[in-house]
């Protein structure tokens, strides 16, 4: 399946081409003789035929040097096998046999952060999706599950910790300056879950007693001197284990659970059985170095990887087209965990904001795809917001349809049927449906049809009869791919939570229900109403759709004040701000003065002054729409119009309520909760838009006095919006303090890359030469390049220089690390929507990149569609 990454004509892979493997592997024994530049990997594998195939075809990665091959102890002559590119074919193999292979790899030269590589002097592996083949030749596919025995030999002084999956059987010194560890994983797993770590690290330890009374040893590893910043991760792990037992009845199954923090890592974290490898930014945290968001994210991701032990490891996906089987389900589980650990309404709002910003953008762009894709060039490109976040929303809709208790019954049925197997998304849906006697035949379209459905809403109230008639219509635009293939779309099954609020603000609870929209158009009638109620629809965002609904500001204000559903209270304010921003965008493009409506500004003031609203929730209500959300709805992506429209609202609010904003800022600046910090920093952002001296002084004072990273980095980010000596001094101070800390340094990169300042591009270029910047570190590139690409105002400029610089950087990065290159290629998602002059400049750079012989198929697949 793996094609040459440097090929200009890679083969497309199709879901319909799936065939079960010709061979299975009973067990594998691996011996790693670790050396920085010449690691030798010896693999002994017991194969058994599943079909009548004559030849064994194995995948191998780049830079894997084959040293020897033998079958049943007999060395193979070169005529018995063939190595062609990354494929090893062994001819005429018996029905059962022991294959022993020996290969050599160079971890030090491997900068892709895939396979076996070195990060900060630590040997580390990353095998998902198809990188076990970069370690040794193998049937590197998720439906080949086997049990692993692993031996590791390394320099005893340089690499005192030798870790792998499962349980440690023995450790011993070899007497020659080297030592040895033996690991055995009793559970069969696919190769993508294999892990090895060897290094000199600090560690914190603790335990967890399971519901059956077993004591599990917990270990979290990090570079020496940083292990104390792992305490939050340890507590999060214990909370996760407890929650999984209480909510789902799922108990941990090994004697040890390990987490290792690594600086050079393409993903957030990896759920390898019993040995999770984490990007260091998602492990290391204390008040001085991590923000409130960092703490929340660490708790969520630690939970996510732990929950994979059952939803991903014990039951895995049959092939990579089914990736959402494990990722969508586990995202849903980590969202529910975070909601139970924190504020459920706030968590739901944050999850939906992320979905709309990231996944709705995918659906609106050229790379839209279903939750279960139908084809690809590179399976690494499946790690998208659609697979993860929309996949989680589909799971959530299942729970909405069958109920929380019914969903638990379905989960129990899923594990009963499929524990120890590699299965499909449809297998999961059927397991949920069976005990609930649910019909998911139409609902499964959520897995096969791409795009975000639009639901149009119309309502008619008859005062004489006290009857409300509500009509809903659904429509889903065809994606670029669907249009090209001449496809049509069938109606989705859309479950919409619903309620009515009367004129006095009372919830009419007898009308609370779920509206199941299954046809193109459906009508519901509600009788016995004394007066026209205000409709609250899609409560808790029960379905990932866009509501097309011309609502009055009066109705929206009524919901902001009285709706019992917290999500829709915030949604109503967001709707007002979104519509007003779009109106001002049109005014800017028509060269009119930008004057926000007084009632919109006053509505924000009403929210600001309402003491009954929780500060954290208030900060979310006051959030402005993101550029990516605006880009989805606008025919033309006009960065300057987006910026000026939002700036006009922020300025009008900040000037109209200057006194109240200053007073509220000072009040919450004296307190020290997550909510207080969130609200005061939101207010500071509004204030700085006026560029008034008092706000700049407040931001500068907050930076200097901050005792936590949330306030420190918020103040720095806000200062970066203005040209001021205080800004330059703060940037220099932060860099001097944190340039040796690989995690916090990324925050310095990000605040500069995302700033609206005219100096942003200049700062971004300078940052690549700053002390602490590593041109091969994924986190540095995500923070700087990724942050800059998401900065519509400063990335999309009349000068060709920003696009050219970015394209040069993308080609450099992609040549070494295709996974990072592909992520950065998403900067050109909305190329077709740019104004004519910008579109010409952007497309020229896309075409230049596509003409490069070094461009990976990962980036190529994404860039081709932008044209």
């Amino acid at each position: 399946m793996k094609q040459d990454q440097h090929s200009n004509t890679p083969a497309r892979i199709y879901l319909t081409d799936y065939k079960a493997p010709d061979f299975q592997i009973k067990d594998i024994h691996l011996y790693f003789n670790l050396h920085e530049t010449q690691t030798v990997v010896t693999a002994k594998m017991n194969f058994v035929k599943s079909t009548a195939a004559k030849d064994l075809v194995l995948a191998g990665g780049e830079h894997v040097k084959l040293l020897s091959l033998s079958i049943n102890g007999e060395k193979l002559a070169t005529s018995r096998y063939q190595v062609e590119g990354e494929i090893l074919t062994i001819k005429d193999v018996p029905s059962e046999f022991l294959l022993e292979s020996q290969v050599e790899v160079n971890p030090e030269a491997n900068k892709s952060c895939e396979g076996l590589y070195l990060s900060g002097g630590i040997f580390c592996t990353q095998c998902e999706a198809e990188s076990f083949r970069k370690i040794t030749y193998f049937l590197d596919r998720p439906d080949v599950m086997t049990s692993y025995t692993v031996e590791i030999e390394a320099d005893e002084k340089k690499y005192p910790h030798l870790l792998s999956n499962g349980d440690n059987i023995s450790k011993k010194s070899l007497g020659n300056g080297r030592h040895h560890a033996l690991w055995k994983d009793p559970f069969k797993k696919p190769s993508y879950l294999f892990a090895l770590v060897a290094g000199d690290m600090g560690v914190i330890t603790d335990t967890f007693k399971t519901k059956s009374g077993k004591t599990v040893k917990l270990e979290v590893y990090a570079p020496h001197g940083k292990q104390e910043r792992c305490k939050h991760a340890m507590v999060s792990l214990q909370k996760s284990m407890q929650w999984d037992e209480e909510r789902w009845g799922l108990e941990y199954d090994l004697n040890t659970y390990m987490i290792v923090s690594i600086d050079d890592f393409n993903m957030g974290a990896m759920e390898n059985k019993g040995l999770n490898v984490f990007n260091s930014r998602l492990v290391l945290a204390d008040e001085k170095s991590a923000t409130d968001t960092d703490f929340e994210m660490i708790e969520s991701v630690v939970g996510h990887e732990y929950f994979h032990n059952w939803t991903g490891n014990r039951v895995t996906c049959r092939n990579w087209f089914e990736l959402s089987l494990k990722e969508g389900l586990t995202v849903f589980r980590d969202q529910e965990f975070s909601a139970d650990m924190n504020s459920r309404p706030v968590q739901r709002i944050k999850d939906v904001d992320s979905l709309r910003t990231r996944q709705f953008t995918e659906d609106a762009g050229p790379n839209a795809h279903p939750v279960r894709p139908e084809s690809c060039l590179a399976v690494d490109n499946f790690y998208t917001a659609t697979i993860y976040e929309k996949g989680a929303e589909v799971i959530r809709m299942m729970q909405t349809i069958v109920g929380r208790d019914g969903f638990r019954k379905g989960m129990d049925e899923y594990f009963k049927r499929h524990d120890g197997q590699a299965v499909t998304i449809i297998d999961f849906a059927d397991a949920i449906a069976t005990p609930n006697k649910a019909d998911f035949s139409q609902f499964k379209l959520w897995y096969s049809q791409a795009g975000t459905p639009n639901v149009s809403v119309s309502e008619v109230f008859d005062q004489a009869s006290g009857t409300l008639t509500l009509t809903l219509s659904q429509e889903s635009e065809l994606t670029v791919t669907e249009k090209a293939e001449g496809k049509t779309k069938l109606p989705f099954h859309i479950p919409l939570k619903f309620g009515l609020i009367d004129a006095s603000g009372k919830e009419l609870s007898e009308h609370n229900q779920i509206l199941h929209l299954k046809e193109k158009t459906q009508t519901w009638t509600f009788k016995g109403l004394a007066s026209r109620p205000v409709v609250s629809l899609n409560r808790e965002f029960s379905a990932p759709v866009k509501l097309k609904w011309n609502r009055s500001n009066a109705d929206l204000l009524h919901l902001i004040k009285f709706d019992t559903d917290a999500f829709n209270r915030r949604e109503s304010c967001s709707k007002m701000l979104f519509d007003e921003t779009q109106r001002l965008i049109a005014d800017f493009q028509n060269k009119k003065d930008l004057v926000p409506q007084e009632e919109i500004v006053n509505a924000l003031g009403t929210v600001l002054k309402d003491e009954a609203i929780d500060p954290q929730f208030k900060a979310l209500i006051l959030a402005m729409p993101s550029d990516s959300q605006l880009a989805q709805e606008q025919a033309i992506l006009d960065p300057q119009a987006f910026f000026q429209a939002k700036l006009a609202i922020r300025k009008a609010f900040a000037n109209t309520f200057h006194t109240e904003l200053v007073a509220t800022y000072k009040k919450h600046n004296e307190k020290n909760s997550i909510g207080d910090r969130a609200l005061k920093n939101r207010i500071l952002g509004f204030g700085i838009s006026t560029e008034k001296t008092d706000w700049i002084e407040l931001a500068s004072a907050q930076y200097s006095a901050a005792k936590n990273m949330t306030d420190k980095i918020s103040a720095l980010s806000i200062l970066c919006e203005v040209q001021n000596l205080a800004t330059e001094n703060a940037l220099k101070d932060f860099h001097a303090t944190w340039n040796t800390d690989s995690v916090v340094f990324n925050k310095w990169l990000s605040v500069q890359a995302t700033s609206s300042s005219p100096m942003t591009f200049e700062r971004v270029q300078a940052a690549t030469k700053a002390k602490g910047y590593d041109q091969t570190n994924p986190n540095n590139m995500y923070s700087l390049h990724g942050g800059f690409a998401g900065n519509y105002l400063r990335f999309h400029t009349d000068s060709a220089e920003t696009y050219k610089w970015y394209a040069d950087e993308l080609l450099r990065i992609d040549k070494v690390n295709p996974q990072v290159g592909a992520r950065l290629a998403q900067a050109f998602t909305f190329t077709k929507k740019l104004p004519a002059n910008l579109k010409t400049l952007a497309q020229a750079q896309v075409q230049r990149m596509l003409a490069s012989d070094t461009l990976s198929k990962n980036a190529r697949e994404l860039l081709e569609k932008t044209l």
Side-chain angles (χ1 to χ4, degrees):
M1 291 171 67
K2 188 83 168 178
Q3 300 295 315
D4 181 359
Q5 74 169 29
H6 301 313
S7 171
N8 283 326
T9 56
R12 182 161 283 278
I13 308 165
Y14 293 89
L15 170 64
T16 53
D17 290 341
Y18 172 81
K19 292 193 299 184
D22 292 326
F23 296 82
Q24 289 292 340
I25 303 172
K26 290 182 178 179
D27 55 68
I28 180 172
H29 184 285
L30 294 166
Y31 194 104
F32 286 83
N33 193 341
L34 294 177
H35 294 273
E36 289 84 354
T37 58
Q38 291 180 305
T39 287
V40 175
V41 183
T42 303
K44 297 178 181 180
M45 297 167 278
N46 281 299
F47 280 88
V48 59
K49 281 186 180 179
S50 305
T51 69
K54 290 185 177 181
D55 300 340
L56 173 65
V57 180
L58 302 178
E62 306 162 73
H63 313 304
V64 174
K65 180 181 178 182
L66 181 61
L67 302 179
S68 68
L69 280 175
S70 66
I71 288 183
N72 295 332
E74 179 182 344
K75 186 174 180 179
L76 294 184
T78 55
S79 60
R80 285 284 309 279
Y81 65 90
Q82 181 180 25
V83 177
E84 197 170 53
E86 298 175 10
I87 301 299
L88 168 63
T89 303
I90 304 174
K91 302 171 184 176
D92 297 319
V93 296
S95 59
E96 290 192 40
F97 58 96
L98 172 65
L99 175 67
E100 181 173 349
S101 67
Q102 194 170 76
V103 303
E104 180 182 292
V105 295
N106 184 343
E108 188 172 86
N110 180 8
K111 303 300 181 184
S112 69
C113 299
E114 298 175 328
L116 177 66
Y117 63 99
L118 280 166
S119 172
I122 298 171
F123 283 100
C124 177
T125 60
Q126 170 54 30
C127 297
E128 188 177 359
E130 295 182 332
S131 294
F132 187 79
R133 63 188 63 185
K134 294 186 176 184
I135 295 172
T136 191
Y137 287 97
F138 199 70
L139 287 175
D140 189 12
R141 46 190 289 172
D143 56 354
V144 176
M145 302 174 71
T146 189
S147 57
Y148 283 69
T149 300
V150 179
E151 295 185 71
I152 310 170
E153 175 190 330
D155 184 292
E156 190 167 9
K157 185 176 181 181
K158 292 170 70 175
Y159 309 105
H161 295 291
L162 306 178
L163 312 176
S164 192
N165 307 90
D167 295 319
N168 181 235
I169 306 303
S170 66
K171 299 176 184 177
K172 64 181 179 182
S173 176
L174 299 177
N176 57 353
R178 296 177 71 76
H179 67 142
H180 173 278
L182 173 64
W183 291 82
K184 176 75 174 178
D185 187 349
F187 295 94
K188 288 190 173 185
K189 63 177 180 283
S191 56
Y192 81 85
L193 290 172
F194 169 78
L196 177 152
V197 175
D200 186 5
M201 301 166 283
V203 60
I204 62 170
T205 63
D206 210 324
T207 60
F208 178 82
K209 181 172 280 191
T210 68
K211 62 179 181 179
S212 66
K214 180 174 71 174
T215 298
V216 181
K217 184 179 180 182
L218 309 178
E219 299 175 336
V220 184
Y221 293 84
H224 285 293
K226 295 183 179 179
Q227 62 266 36
E228 290 303 304
R229 286 161 63 182
C230 297
K231 290 180 178 178
H232 178 65
M234 177 66 82
V235 172
S236 299
L237 175 58
Q238 292 167 322
K239 288 181 178 179
S240 304
M241 299 175 83
Q242 183 75 30
W243 183 84
D244 219 20
E245 289 186 353
E246 293 174 354
R247 175 75 185 267
W248 304 105
L250 299 175
E251 185 176 341
Y252 186 59
D253 49 13
L254 291 170
N255 297 315
T256 306
Y257 194 97
M258 299 168 284
I259 292 174
V260 179
S261 167
I262 294 294
D263 280 345
D264 302 289
F265 205 67
N266 287 336
M267 300 184 181
M270 183 61 211
E271 71 267 19
N272 317 298
K273 184 75 177 181
L275 176 57
N276 291 179
V277 180
F278 268 61
N279 191 313
S280 55
R281 68 182 175 84
L282 292 170
V283 177
L284 305 179
D286 58 21
E287 192 177 55
K288 290 184 178 180
S289 65
T291 65
D292 293 332
T293 300
D294 293 331
F295 279 105
E296 291 171 358
M297 185 64 71
I298 288 169
E299 182 179 77
S300 171
V301 176
V302 168
H304 180 96
E305 305 309 333
Y306 174 75
F307 303 145
H308 264 313
N309 186 61
W310 281 91
T311 51
N313 297 3
R314 289 284 288 258
V315 186
T316 194
C317 48
R318 188 184 70 177
N319 58 64
W320 293 116
F321 293 96
E322 310 287 348
L323 179 60
S324 196
L325 173 83
K326 73 182 185 78
E327 294 300 350
L329 176 55
T330 305
V331 168
F332 167 74
R333 280 167 28 83
D334 83 52
Q335 289 177 350
E336 286 293 283
F337 166 66
S338 295
D340 284 344
M341 295 301 105
N342 304 289
S343 163
R344 180 164 286 271
V346 167
Q347 184 63 41
R348 187 63 184 139
I349 289 168
K350 289 180 177 180
D351 291 338
V352 174
D353 281 355
S354 176
L355 179 82
R356 284 170 162 166
T357 299
R358 300 175 63 244
Q359 195 281 319
F360 279 19
T361 297
E362 282 183 1
D363 272 353
N367 289 298
H369 58 274
V371 173
R372 185 186 61 195
E374 296 179 351
S375 69
C376 71
L377 293 181
V379 297
D380 290 336
N381 287 349
F382 283 160
Y383 292 81
T384 65
T386 298
I387 301 296
Y388 281 66
E389 296 181 53
K390 186 173 183 178
E393 293 302 316
V394 175
I395 301 293
R396 188 177 297 277
M397 285 190 288
M398 285 188 190
Q399 178 173 266
T400 297
I401 291 169
V402 302
R404 182 175 167 126
D405 292 341
F407 189 76
R408 169 62 192 273
K409 290 177 184 177
M411 288 286 283
D412 291 345
E413 179 70 15
Y414 175 60
F415 296 124
K416 178 182 176 182
R417 290 183 181 187
H418 300 300
D419 189 11
Q421 298 176 13
V423 299
T424 70
I425 284 169
I426 301 305
D427 291 327
F428 173 80
D430 290 344
I432 300 298
T434 300
N436 292 289
K437 297 180 173 56
D439 180 3
F440 280 163
S441 53
Q442 180 184 7
F443 182 81
K444 291 173 185 175
L445 291 171
W446 283 102
Y447 284 119
S448 59
Q449 294 187 159
T452 304
N454 294 311
V455 175
S456 297
V457 184
S458 65
E459 50 181 314
V460 176
F461 180 70
D462 186 326
Q463 184 68 55
S465 63
T467 301
L468 173 70
T469 303
L470 187 70
T471 301
L472 305 180
S473 301
Q474 61 168 298
E475 183 178 1
S476 299
E477 295 180 10
L478 292 172
T479 67
V480 173
T481 302
E482 288 167 341
K483 287 178 182 176
E485 294 175 350
K487 290 187 175 181
T488 58
K489 278 185 175 168
L490 297 172
F492 289 91
H493 175 182
I494 303 175
L496 298 162
K497 291 187 176 181
F498 170 85
L500 298 177
I501 314 291
D502 74 10
S504 68
K506 179 185 175 184
E507 175 88 20
L508 301 177
S509 57
E510 67 272 20
H511 293 292
N512 286 352
Q513 57 179 286
I514 298 173
L515 306 182
H516 292 275
L517 177 60
K518 296 183 178 182
E519 306 297 330
K520 187 170 180 60
T521 299
Q522 284 176 247
T523 298
W524 288 265
T525 301
F526 305 91
K527 299 179 179 180
L529 301 170
S531 60
R532 176 187 173 273
V534 177
V535 176
S536 176
L537 186 62
N538 204 19
R539 287 180 155 183
E540 300 175 17
F541 202 70
S542 57
V545 300
K546 293 181 179 179
L547 295 181
K548 301 299 181 180
W549 194 357
N550 292 322
R551 309 213 70 179
S552 69
N553 286 337
D555 278 3
L556 294 173
L557 285 168
H558 194 73
L559 293 176
I560 291 171
K561 189 172 183 180
F562 297 114
D563 202 334
T564 57
D565 179 62
F567 179 86
N568 268 3
R569 287 183 68 195
R570 194 273 189 146
E571 184 76 352
S572 299
C573 191
S574 296
K575 169 71 172 168
M576 278 200 307
L577 289 172
F578 192 85
D579 290 348
E580 180 66 356
T581 302
Q582 292 206 98
R583 186 187 70 80
L584 291 171
I585 287 171
D587 283 353
F588 179 86
Q589 292 169 335
N590 291 321
K591 303 188 185 316
K592 295 181 179 178
D593 291 338
L594 301 188
V595 182
Q597 296 179 70
E598 189 175 338
E599 66 175 331
I600 302 294
V601 175
N602 288 337
L604 293 178
T606 299
V607 171
L608 175 70
K609 293 183 284 186
D610 190 340
E611 294 294 329
I613 302 177
D614 173 79
Q616 189 176 14
F617 187 56
K618 186 180 292 188
L620 289 171
I621 293 178
L622 294 173
M624 296 293 296
S626 69
D627 282 351
S628 64
Q629 288 177 272
L630 292 167
Q632 294 165 33
E633 302 302 321
Q634 291 285 316
I636 299 296
L637 195 169
D638 187 340
Q640 190 64 235
F642 290 8
F643 176 74
Q644 294 298 339
K646 290 193 287 185
L647 180 63
I649 296 172
R650 292 200 305 269
K651 277 187 174 180
F653 177 44
N655 287 326
T656 303
F657 293 96
H658 179 269
T659 302
E660 293 88 347
L661 284 165
V662 171
T664 305
Y665 172 84
K666 290 181 177 179
K667 172 185 174 182
H668 290 279
N669 192 40
E670 295 171 356
K671 300 178 181 180
N672 194 35
S673 73
I674 292 175
D676 292 312
R677 289 190 288 273
L679 181 55
K680 76 173 181 184
N681 287 318
R682 178 77 71 200
I683 288 170
L684 196 58
F686 277 112
I688 208 76
S689 66
T690 66
E691 298 190 26
K692 290 182 177 178
T693 303
D694 57 345
W695 286 111
I696 296 172
E697 289 175 350
L698 283 173
S700 183
Q702 178 175 308
Y703 176 84
S704 299
K707 293 183 172 62
N708 60 76
M709 183 53 70
T710 301
D711 284 347
K712 178 74 76 174
I713 202 66
S714 295
L716 181 62
S717 179
I718 289 164
L719 282 170
C720 280
E721 295 299 301
V722 295
Q723 290 298 111
N724 191 278
L725 181 61
T727 303
E728 299 307 319
N729 289 340
L731 283 169
K732 289 177 182 177
D733 174 76
F734 195 93
H735 180 264
T737 305
W738 294 107
N739 72 78
T740 59
D741 189 293
S742 58
V743 174
V744 184
F745 177 71
N746 289 305
K747 299 181 189 301
W748 182 77
L749 296 174
S750 182
V751 296
Q752 295 177 87
T754 56
S755 168
S756 66
S757 166
M759 290 187 64
T760 294
F761 182 44
E762 179 183 332
R763 285 175 176 158
V764 166
Q765 290 176 295
T768 63
K769 300 176 178 62
K771 182 180 179 181
Y773 185 80
D774 180 351
Q775 291 195 342
T776 65
N777 178 263
N779 285 342
N780 283 184
M781 294 180 282
Y782 294 148
S783 299
L784 188 68
H785 298 76
F788 183 54
N791 184 347
Y792 288 14
L793 181 68
R794 297 306 170 196
F795 180 63
H796 300 289
T797 64
D798 292 335
S799 167
E801 289 305 305
T802 54
Y803 292 149
K804 182 179 183 304
W805 175 84
Y806 193 88
D808 288 342
E809 288 289 284
L810 196 155
L811 287 170
R812 175 186 66 78
I813 293 163
D814 181 69
K815 189 174 182 180
V816 176
N817 193 325
Q819 279 198 38
V820 176
R823 291 195 189 185
L824 298 183
Q826 294 172 8
F828 296 94
T829 292
F830 283 130
T831 295
K832 290 181 180 179
K833 278 196 167 188
L834 291 170
N837 62 322
L838 296 180
K839 184 192 296 185
T840 299
L841 296 174
Q843 287 183 336
Q845 294 306 318
V846 171
Q847 289 167 338
R848 180 167 72 89
M849 289 186 284
L850 288 172
S852 170
D853 291 336
T854 67
L855 188 70
S856 72
K857 66 181 180 182
N858 306 61
R860 182 175 300 281
E861 180 172 24
L862 299 176
L863 289 172
E864 282 179 340
K865 293 180 181 179
T866 67
L867 297 177

